[in-house]
Amino acid sequence: MAYDQSVMAQRVVDITDGKGVYMDANNTELITAAALFQTVGKGLPDTLTDLHKISRTDLVFEIFEDYNEWLDNFHNKQIL
């Protein structure tokens, strides 16, 4: 999991050319979601992984939110 997080973080840097800190919250979240889906999303459609093909950002944000909730739940159960 730590490896996936480092790969995802590097993809965000690559996508933003290192300028992600200057982006607004929505763009940052969209790019982070696309990088996550590219890293851990096996078999996902391009409409979730390719920034040039994403047309429904609401779906990307919803799936990203669900994934983060699942990940938090998973981490909490591992700690117990």
Side-chain angles (χ1 to χ4, degrees), residues 2-69:
Y3 174 76
D4 289 340
Q5 290 173 334
S6 65
V7 169
M8 184 189 72
Q10 185 59 52
R11 284 190 174 154
V12 169
V13 171
D14 292 345
I15 291 168
T16 63
D17 199 26
K19 298 178 178 96
V21 295
Y22 304 109
M23 294 184 169
D24 64 56
N26 282 336
N27 283 327
T28 301
E29 187 172 353
L30 180 64
I31 290 169
T32 302
L36 172 78
F37 298 155
Q38 290 169 9
T39 304
V40 300
K42 306 295 184 235
L44 290 177
D46 289 346
T47 54
L48 293 175
T49 60
D50 185 340
L51 288 170
H52 300 289
K53 295 182 180 180
I54 293 173
S55 60
R56 296 277 316 269
T57 56
D58 59 322
L59 294 176
V60 174
F61 290 138
E62 186 69 30
I63 294 168
F64 186 57
E65 182 180 323
D66 287 348
Y67 175 82
N68 283 326
E69 288 174 8

